[in-house]
Amino acid sequence: MSDIRIKIGDTYKFIQRGSRIGELFEVPAYGEMTKDTPVAALVFDKLKELNHKLKGNATITPVTVNSVIGFDMYKRSLLLLLFKAFHDVLGEVEYTTNIRYSLGSGYFGTVSGKDVELDEELIEKVKARMTEIVKADLPITKKTMQSSAAKIYFEMRDLPLKAELLKFRRVSTINVYGIEDHIDYFYGYMVPSTGFLQKFDLIKLDDGFVLVIPVRKTFDIDFKYQAPKKLYTVFRESETWAEMQGITSVSELNNLIVDSNQNYLVLVQEAIMEKQIANIAEKIIEDGKKIALIAGPSSSGKTTFSRRLSIELKAHGYTPHPVSLDNYFLERNETPKDENGNYDFESLAAMDLKLFNSQMESLLAGETVEMPRFDFTVGEKKYKGDFLTLKEGDVLVAEGIHALNPRMTESLPDASKFKIYISALTQLNIDEHNRISTTDGRLLRRIVRDNRTRGNDAQRTISMWESVRHGEENNIFPFQEEADVMFNSSLIYELAAIKQYAEPLLFKVPEDSREYYEAKRLLKFLDYFLGMDVSLVPQNSILREFIGGGCFDV
């Protein structure tokens, strides 16, 4: 075969036509996995697996395991390894393995079967088998199957959710991946062999297990992993509700939409959420709290939640006073900058902590305070006669990304504070082995909202998302367990509703852009869902904060 010319960075090399991309890089066969190990590559900005054969001249950019794309591939492949190990250890025993949701740096899952006891001994056997398979560096093979044949195959494997999902797929074929005789279906690419999957841990938790994954940025594994208890509790509660409704997967949601029962589902889901918000309001009143502090990651619905909480407080005879932490930024000339020289508005150092604590102390003491309004166009706080005095039965409702950080309210007595963490914690899974990332749900919310309210296209929102996530990891997630209560703002029907808003925006992302792969991935993800009648969504729904048509000015 003739040689072809390959460009990697500033380096050119000639290789034989038909060579695999993986031959160009140092991969685990030659050493230990690090955060800089390539697990895929962009060939002329198109994502390709390392087993892809090069047929002509190309410009290649390695995709490392600590990149967003590479880390997703690693996690996906690690799950295949886990299921293969369970398959080998349990042998002919009938069982079902389910991945439920993420818990910090781990995935919580369960194993069920009449002859299966999920104990420490079984966990250790599965973990040991996973390690053996990694050391054997077995190939992860890809095979194209007819969708109809795959449906029958997964029915025989007693994976009804996976089989039922294929009923709603419009494509005639799908790609399945396998390790030896174990085949499974995932949405997305895999690493080429098990030798890449060197870093993981497997531990028991309650009636299930946690597959511990590395920290993306460093690719280090936390062998002292502790599950976030409050987050875990909220997930289990949401899971229980979903099971009671018989909607734990995308296929079950789709079947409900097909049967025209979506109105009932929306009413029940919104009623449950209304009751939860009312319970929080009652708890604030019973405990005699004077300031409710609300924090959560981007697109979790903080603003609508704070409005609805205020209405519930009012319905109980109390007077809420909204306080936005965004009005307590430092003046622009005092704002810190990040490593790129840009203003770092997500840092706690950008907040005027002294002023905020001073004013809140004065309000709690019964004094009158002139509240600031931050003018983002000039980068200064303005005072326009917004005076506030707290009276008997008044409650401050403060919302902002730093609301749960103890330093934000360090001068205020704990007895006056009620801390609420809000996030969109998706209850649905795609099937038994494919979870729905809560991050994907929030990203889709933000794409739709930013286009509607700020005129940003999907490409711009996707390009900023990595920075947003970095800010969340530093400033929000470390304090989630500080909350007195956690509120799940995810609606079980929302992806079927947001689908029709998000898809046209994602289709506009240029094919030659760096954001195209992410847009394509999200489009494939949304393709699993049937669309629903959006007119059924109530005006006060948290979803209206993103799709519009709500009764709140957000």
Side-chain angles (χ1 to χ4, degrees):
M1 291 186 181
S2 59
D3 285 349
I4 56 176
R5 189 175 74 163
I6 302 300
K7 181 183 179 185
I8 305 176
D10 296 325
T11 302
Y12 290 89
K13 61 173 62 178
F14 289 89
I15 63 172
Q16 193 174 53
R17 190 184 306 272
S19 297
R20 300 179 187 274
I21 294 176
E23 298 172 23
L24 300 170
F25 307 120
E26 282 195 3
V27 291
Y30 306 101
E32 183 180 353
M33 283 283 289
T34 71
K35 65 182 180 65
D36 299 317
T37 300
V39 291
L42 296 173
V43 179
F44 293 127
D45 291 330
K46 296 293 187 296
L47 186 67
K48 300 294 182 182
E49 291 173 298
L50 292 186
N51 281 332
H52 176 76
K53 294 181 179 180
L54 295 164
K55 299 177 181 178
N57 299 339
T59 299
I60 295 179
T61 304
V63 174
T64 59
V65 72
N66 74 328
S67 67
V68 173
I69 296 173
F71 195 55
D72 280 346
M73 290 178 65
Y74 186 88
K75 292 184 292 184
R76 199 177 296 124
S77 306
L78 197 59
L79 288 172
L80 176 60
L81 171 66
L82 173 74
F83 303 139
K84 162 65 175 171
F86 268 110
H87 170 77
D88 289 355
V89 170
L90 293 175
E92 299 301 318
V93 174
E94 292 186 3
Y95 72 97
T96 301
T97 309
N98 286 274
I99 293 298
R100 304 291 186 177
Y101 33 77
S102 62
L103 284 176
S105 60
Y107 291 148
F108 177 76
T110 57
V111 179
S112 58
K114 62 179 181 180
D115 296 320
V116 176
E117 182 180 357
L118 185 63
D119 53 16
E120 294 286 355
E121 181 181 0
L122 177 58
I123 291 294
E124 286 303 314
K125 286 181 179 179
V126 172
K127 180 179 174 181
R129 181 57 185 148
M130 291 175 72
T131 301
E132 289 174 357
I133 297 170
V134 171
K135 290 180 178 178
D137 195 22
L138 301 176
I140 296 178
T141 58
K142 180 162 68 172
K143 176 183 177 183
T144 300
M145 291 182 71
Q146 292 291 324
S147 297
S148 56
K151 185 174 184 295
I152 295 171
Y153 172 78
F154 290 122
E155 286 173 346
M156 294 174 60
R157 284 265 310 277
D158 195 25
L159 295 170
L161 299 180
K162 197 179 288 284
E164 184 72 5
L165 182 67
L166 292 173
K167 182 178 81 174
F168 298 99
R169 296 287 286 144
R170 296 181 177 90
V171 295
S172 59
T173 62
I174 62 170
N175 290 324
V176 295
Y177 287 86
I179 301 174
E180 294 185 324
D181 59 339
H182 184 78
I183 298 173
D184 212 333
Y185 175 49
F186 296 86
Y187 78 103
Y189 287 159
M190 295 277 189
V191 300
S193 70
T194 59
F196 283 76
L197 306 174
Q198 299 171 6
K199 297 192 177 182
F200 67 89
D201 197 8
L202 190 67
I203 62 174
K204 192 174 184 307
L205 177 65
D206 292 347
D207 59 343
F209 61 84
V210 175
L211 175 64
V212 184
I213 58 179
V215 177
R216 180 169 71 86
K217 288 294 184 183
T218 62
F219 205 60
D220 292 328
I221 194 79
D222 179 11
F223 288 106
K224 297 181 180 180
Y225 169 87
Q226 294 289 325
K229 294 181 179 179
K230 293 179 181 178
L231 186 66
Y232 174 59
T233 299
V234 173
F235 265 123
R236 292 310 294 256
E237 290 172 352
S238 298
E239 180 184 42
T240 299
W241 180 87
E243 289 173 348
M244 289 171 57
Q245 300 300 313
I247 307 171
T248 61
S249 69
V250 175
S251 60
E252 289 168 334
L253 175 62
N254 286 343
N255 281 323
L256 184 143
I257 293 172
V258 168
D259 294 338
S260 301
N261 290 326
Q262 49 192 303
N263 186 44
Y264 178 78
L265 172 64
V266 170
L267 291 173
V268 171
Q269 170 81 108
E270 295 288 350
I272 289 173
M273 192 167 282
E274 192 73 30
K275 187 175 187 299
Q276 291 173 336
I277 298 173
N279 290 342
I280 293 173
E282 290 170 1
K283 182 67 174 171
I284 292 170
I285 294 168
E286 289 173 4
D287 293 351
K289 303 297 185 179
K290 298 299 291 182
I291 178 168
L293 299 163
I294 304 167
S298 173
S299 302
S300 55
K302 296 184 292 294
T303 306
T304 298
F305 172 80
S306 65
R307 301 289 194 277
R308 289 177 64 171
L309 178 62
S310 294
I311 289 172
E312 289 292 342
L313 289 168
K314 191 72 174 177
H316 284 77
Y318 282 69
T319 302
H321 297 281
V323 177
S324 174
L325 268 60
D326 284 354
N327 288 323
Y328 287 89
F329 278 111
L330 290 168
E331 267 51 40
R332 190 64 45 82
N333 62 349
E334 301 177 84
T335 303
K337 295 184 178 181
D338 60 22
E339 63 274 12
N340 299 316
N342 300 316
Y343 289 112
D344 189 359
F345 295 113
E346 296 190 353
S347 168
L348 184 67
M351 306 302 298
D352 194 337
L353 300 180
K354 182 177 180 181
L355 176 66
F356 178 78
N357 279 272
S358 173
Q359 289 202 330
M360 296 304 109
E361 280 185 301
S362 297
L363 286 170
L364 293 176
E367 300 173 13
T368 299
V369 169
E370 185 177 10
M371 307 293 283
R373 294 209 177 187
F374 196 85
D375 187 335
F376 287 91
T377 59
V378 296
E380 295 177 358
K381 289 185 283 289
K382 303 287 187 181
Y383 293 88
K384 299 182 178 180
D386 296 324
F387 292 97
L388 178 61
T389 307
L390 282 190
K391 301 174 184 176
E392 186 69 25
D394 286 6
V395 179
L396 296 169
V397 181
E399 174 251 315
I401 65 172
H402 298 292
L404 298 191
N405 188 326
R407 288 185 56 205
M408 189 75 215
T409 56
E410 58 188 354
S411 298
L412 307 184
D414 289 338
S416 68
K417 296 183 284 190
F418 190 87
K419 294 171 285 186
I420 303 167
Y421 178 79
I422 174 173
S423 190
L425 306 172
T426 311
Q427 307 101 314
L428 284 181
N429 287 315
I430 296 177
D431 56 38
E432 294 91 344
H433 295 166
N434 290 277
R435 52 179 281 277
I436 293 177
S437 165
T438 59
T439 302
D440 282 351
R442 291 192 295 109
L443 175 54
L444 288 165
R445 281 180 170 188
R446 180 151 178 165
I447 285 171
V448 172
R449 184 192 63 190
D450 281 7
N451 180 260
R452 181 178 63 83
T453 62
R454 302 178 184 178
N456 290 348
D457 58 21
Q459 181 182 356
R460 176 166 172 76
T461 301
I462 293 171
S463 71
M464 297 187 300
W465 191 240
E466 174 73 358
S467 175
V468 171
R469 293 275 292 145
H470 179 71
E472 293 169 350
E473 290 167 1
N474 289 336
N475 302 312
I476 299 175
F477 298 144
F479 305 105
Q480 61 186 16
E481 293 289 308
E482 298 275 342
D484 296 302
V485 65
M486 285 190 176
F487 178 79
N488 184 2
S489 70
S490 175
L491 295 147
I492 205 164
Y493 66 81
E494 74 172 75
L495 289 169
I498 211 165
K499 166 189 174 82
Q500 43 237 334
Y501 295 90
E503 283 182 333
L505 302 175
L506 292 167
F507 274 117
K508 289 182 181 178
V509 176
E511 289 191 27
D512 60 353
S513 68
R514 302 287 288 191
E515 294 74 30
Y516 176 72
Y517 169 78
E518 184 70 350
K520 184 179 178 182
R521 184 186 69 81
L522 291 171
L523 281 167
K524 182 178 179 181
F525 166 60
L526 288 172
D527 197 44
Y528 291 109
F529 293 83
L530 294 182
M532 63 165 284
D533 183 359
V534 181
S535 68
L536 300 174
V537 180
Q539 285 187 316
N540 69 339
S541 173
I542 279 178
L543 187 58
R544 289 289 179 187
E545 181 174 330
F546 306 97
I547 66 175
C551 57
F552 299 116
D553 181 19
V554 294

PDB file of all heavy atoms in Angstrom, residues 112-127:
ATOM      1  N   SER A 112     -30.334  -7.560  40.420  1.00  0.00           N
ATOM      2  CA  SER A 112     -31.478  -8.302  40.941  1.00  0.00           C
ATOM      3  C   SER A 112     -31.556  -9.670  40.283  1.00  0.00           C
ATOM      4  O   SER A 112     -31.190  -9.849  39.129  1.00  0.00           O
ATOM      5  CB  SER A 112     -32.781  -7.531  40.698  1.00  0.00           C
ATOM      6  OG  SER A 112     -32.963  -7.268  39.317  1.00  0.00           O
ATOM      7  N   GLY A 113     -32.026 -10.629  41.030  1.00  0.00           N
ATOM      8  CA  GLY A 113     -32.177 -12.007  40.553  1.00  0.00           C
ATOM      9  C   GLY A 113     -32.477 -12.893  41.745  1.00  0.00           C
ATOM     10  O   GLY A 113     -31.915 -12.678  42.830  1.00  0.00           O
ATOM     11  N   LYS A 114     -33.334 -13.898  41.556  1.00  0.00           N
ATOM     12  CA  LYS A 114     -33.778 -14.704  42.708  1.00  0.00           C
ATOM     13  C   LYS A 114     -32.632 -15.484  43.344  1.00  0.00           C
ATOM     14  O   LYS A 114     -32.691 -15.817  44.540  1.00  0.00           O
ATOM     15  CB  LYS A 114     -34.899 -15.657  42.290  1.00  0.00           C
ATOM     16  CG  LYS A 114     -34.521 -16.676  41.232  1.00  0.00           C
ATOM     17  CD  LYS A 114     -35.708 -17.572  40.910  1.00  0.00           C
ATOM     18  CE  LYS A 114     -35.330 -18.626  39.867  1.00  0.00           C
ATOM     19  NZ  LYS A 114     -36.476 -19.520  39.545  1.00  0.00           N
ATOM     20  N   ASP A 115     -31.591 -15.777  42.573  1.00  0.00           N
ATOM     21  CA  ASP A 115     -30.462 -16.539  43.115  1.00  0.00           C
ATOM     22  C   ASP A 115     -29.214 -15.666  43.283  1.00  0.00           C
ATOM     23  O   ASP A 115     -28.101 -16.185  43.376  1.00  0.00           O
ATOM     24  CB  ASP A 115     -30.136 -17.710  42.192  1.00  0.00           C
ATOM     25  CG  ASP A 115     -31.271 -18.716  42.113  1.00  0.00           C
ATOM     26  OD1 ASP A 115     -31.886 -18.989  43.161  1.00  0.00           O
ATOM     27  OD2 ASP A 115     -31.550 -19.212  41.009  1.00  0.00           O
ATOM     28  N   VAL A 116     -29.425 -14.338  43.331  1.00  0.00           N
ATOM     29  CA  VAL A 116     -28.296 -13.413  43.442  1.00  0.00           C
ATOM     30  C   VAL A 116     -28.353 -12.680  44.773  1.00  0.00           C
ATOM     31  O   VAL A 116     -29.371 -12.067  45.116  1.00  0.00           O
ATOM     32  CB  VAL A 116     -28.303 -12.385  42.290  1.00  0.00           C
ATOM     33  CG1 VAL A 116     -27.169 -11.374  42.474  1.00  0.00           C
ATOM     34  CG2 VAL A 116     -28.181 -13.089  40.955  1.00  0.00           C
ATOM     35  N   GLU A 117     -27.286 -12.769  45.532  1.00  0.00           N
ATOM     36  CA  GLU A 117     -27.155 -11.990  46.761  1.00  0.00           C
ATOM     37  C   GLU A 117     -26.010 -10.999  46.576  1.00  0.00           C
ATOM     38  O   GLU A 117     -24.852 -11.391  46.468  1.00  0.00           O
ATOM     39  CB  GLU A 117     -26.866 -12.893  47.959  1.00  0.00           C
ATOM     40  CG  GLU A 117     -26.763 -12.111  49.267  1.00  0.00           C
ATOM     41  CD  GLU A 117     -26.469 -12.999  50.461  1.00  0.00           C
ATOM     42  OE1 GLU A 117     -26.400 -14.240  50.276  1.00  0.00           O
ATOM     43  OE2 GLU A 117     -26.291 -12.455  51.567  1.00  0.00           O
ATOM     44  N   LEU A 118     -26.366  -9.730  46.521  1.00  0.00           N
ATOM     45  CA  LEU A 118     -25.349  -8.704  46.306  1.00  0.00           C
ATOM     46  C   LEU A 118     -24.688  -8.385  47.641  1.00  0.00           C
ATOM     47  O   LEU A 118     -25.144  -7.523  48.393  1.00  0.00           O
ATOM     48  CB  LEU A 118     -25.975  -7.443  45.693  1.00  0.00           C
ATOM     49  CG  LEU A 118     -24.979  -6.343  45.303  1.00  0.00           C
ATOM     50  CD1 LEU A 118     -24.032  -6.823  44.214  1.00  0.00           C
ATOM     51  CD2 LEU A 118     -25.709  -5.086  44.839  1.00  0.00           C
ATOM     52  N   ASP A 119     -23.612  -9.072  47.923  1.00  0.00           N
ATOM     53  CA  ASP A 119     -22.880  -8.855  49.167  1.00  0.00           C
ATOM     54  C   ASP A 119     -21.440  -8.473  48.849  1.00  0.00           C
ATOM     55  O   ASP A 119     -21.043  -8.362  47.687  1.00  0.00           O
ATOM     56  CB  ASP A 119     -22.934 -10.091  50.058  1.00  0.00           C
ATOM     57  CG  ASP A 119     -22.477 -11.359  49.332  1.00  0.00           C
ATOM     58  OD1 ASP A 119     -21.834 -11.239  48.259  1.00  0.00           O
ATOM     59  OD2 ASP A 119     -22.750 -12.468  49.820  1.00  0.00           O
ATOM     60  N   GLU A 120     -20.647  -8.278  49.883  1.00  0.00           N
ATOM     61  CA  GLU A 120     -19.246  -7.874  49.707  1.00  0.00           C
ATOM     62  C   GLU A 120     -18.459  -8.914  48.921  1.00  0.00           C
ATOM     63  O   GLU A 120     -17.583  -8.583  48.122  1.00  0.00           O
ATOM     64  CB  GLU A 120     -18.592  -7.642  51.070  1.00  0.00           C
ATOM     65  CG  GLU A 120     -19.149  -6.476  51.875  1.00  0.00           C
ATOM     66  CD  GLU A 120     -18.715  -5.134  51.323  1.00  0.00           C
ATOM     67  OE1 GLU A 120     -17.908  -5.091  50.361  1.00  0.00           O
ATOM     68  OE2 GLU A 120     -19.183  -4.105  51.842  1.00  0.00           O
ATOM     69  N   GLU A 121     -18.791 -10.189  49.132  1.00  0.00           N
ATOM     70  CA  GLU A 121     -18.069 -11.250  48.437  1.00  0.00           C
ATOM     71  C   GLU A 121     -18.287 -11.160  46.928  1.00  0.00           C
ATOM     72  O   GLU A 121     -17.338 -11.282  46.138  1.00  0.00           O
ATOM     73  CB  GLU A 121     -18.528 -12.611  48.949  1.00  0.00           C
ATOM     74  CG  GLU A 121     -17.794 -13.781  48.293  1.00  0.00           C
ATOM     75  CD  GLU A 121     -18.275 -15.130  48.799  1.00  0.00           C
ATOM     76  OE1 GLU A 121     -19.183 -15.164  49.654  1.00  0.00           O
ATOM     77  OE2 GLU A 121     -17.739 -16.157  48.311  1.00  0.00           O
ATOM     78  N   LEU A 122     -19.545 -10.931  46.509  1.00  0.00           N
ATOM     79  CA  LEU A 122     -19.838 -10.816  45.085  1.00  0.00           C
ATOM     80  C   LEU A 122     -19.156  -9.587  44.495  1.00  0.00           C
ATOM     81  O   LEU A 122     -18.582  -9.642  43.394  1.00  0.00           O
ATOM     82  CB  LEU A 122     -21.347 -10.746  44.853  1.00  0.00           C
ATOM     83  CG  LEU A 122     -21.789 -10.543  43.398  1.00  0.00           C
ATOM     84  CD1 LEU A 122     -21.252 -11.648  42.499  1.00  0.00           C
ATOM     85  CD2 LEU A 122     -23.311 -10.462  43.301  1.00  0.00           C
ATOM     86  N   ILE A 123     -19.189  -8.483  45.221  1.00  0.00           N
ATOM     87  CA  ILE A 123     -18.548  -7.254  44.740  1.00  0.00           C
ATOM     88  C   ILE A 123     -17.056  -7.482  44.522  1.00  0.00           C
ATOM     89  O   ILE A 123     -16.485  -7.062  43.499  1.00  0.00           O
ATOM     90  CB  ILE A 123     -18.768  -6.095  45.739  1.00  0.00           C
ATOM     91  CG1 ILE A 123     -20.241  -5.674  45.755  1.00  0.00           C
ATOM     92  CG2 ILE A 123     -17.882  -4.900  45.405  1.00  0.00           C
ATOM     93  CD1 ILE A 123     -20.730  -5.064  44.478  1.00  0.00           C
ATOM     94  N   GLU A 124     -16.400  -8.150  45.455  1.00  0.00           N
ATOM     95  CA  GLU A 124     -14.968  -8.401  45.330  1.00  0.00           C
ATOM     96  C   GLU A 124     -14.664  -9.322  44.154  1.00  0.00           C
ATOM     97  O   GLU A 124     -13.664  -9.147  43.446  1.00  0.00           O
ATOM     98  CB  GLU A 124     -14.419  -9.004  46.632  1.00  0.00           C
ATOM     99  CG  GLU A 124     -14.288  -7.997  47.767  1.00  0.00           C
ATOM    100  CD  GLU A 124     -13.419  -6.811  47.392  1.00  0.00           C
ATOM    101  OE1 GLU A 124     -12.320  -7.024  46.805  1.00  0.00           O
ATOM    102  OE2 GLU A 124     -13.820  -5.661  47.665  1.00  0.00           O
ATOM    103  N   LYS A 125     -15.529 -10.316  43.906  1.00  0.00           N
ATOM    104  CA  LYS A 125     -15.329 -11.207  42.764  1.00  0.00           C
ATOM    105  C   LYS A 125     -15.449 -10.455  41.447  1.00  0.00           C
ATOM    106  O   LYS A 125     -14.657 -10.657  40.517  1.00  0.00           O
ATOM    107  CB  LYS A 125     -16.344 -12.348  42.811  1.00  0.00           C
ATOM    108  CG  LYS A 125     -16.065 -13.401  43.872  1.00  0.00           C
ATOM    109  CD  LYS A 125     -17.116 -14.515  43.821  1.00  0.00           C
ATOM    110  CE  LYS A 125     -16.824 -15.591  44.855  1.00  0.00           C
ATOM    111  NZ  LYS A 125     -17.873 -16.652  44.820  1.00  0.00           N
ATOM    112  N   VAL A 126     -16.462  -9.584  41.354  1.00  0.00           N
ATOM    113  CA  VAL A 126     -16.666  -8.811  40.126  1.00  0.00           C
ATOM    114  C   VAL A 126     -15.508  -7.844  39.915  1.00  0.00           C
ATOM    115  O   VAL A 126     -14.982  -7.708  38.793  1.00  0.00           O
ATOM    116  CB  VAL A 126     -18.009  -8.054  40.180  1.00  0.00           C
ATOM    117  CG1 VAL A 126     -18.137  -7.094  38.990  1.00  0.00           C
ATOM    118  CG2 VAL A 126     -19.174  -9.037  40.199  1.00  0.00           C
ATOM    119  N   LYS A 127     -15.082  -7.193  40.984  1.00  0.00           N
ATOM    120  CA  LYS A 127     -13.952  -6.252  40.885  1.00  0.00           C
ATOM    121  C   LYS A 127     -12.685  -6.986  40.435  1.00  0.00           C
ATOM    122  O   LYS A 127     -11.936  -6.490  39.575  1.00  0.00           O
ATOM    123  CB  LYS A 127     -13.736  -5.575  42.232  1.00  0.00           C
ATOM    124  CG  LYS A 127     -12.595  -4.574  42.257  1.00  0.00           C
ATOM    125  CD  LYS A 127     -12.478  -3.937  43.642  1.00  0.00           C
ATOM    126  CE  LYS A 127     -11.262  -3.039  43.743  1.00  0.00           C
ATOM    127  NZ  LYS A 127     -11.134  -2.439  45.099  1.00  0.00           N
TER     128      LYS A 127
END
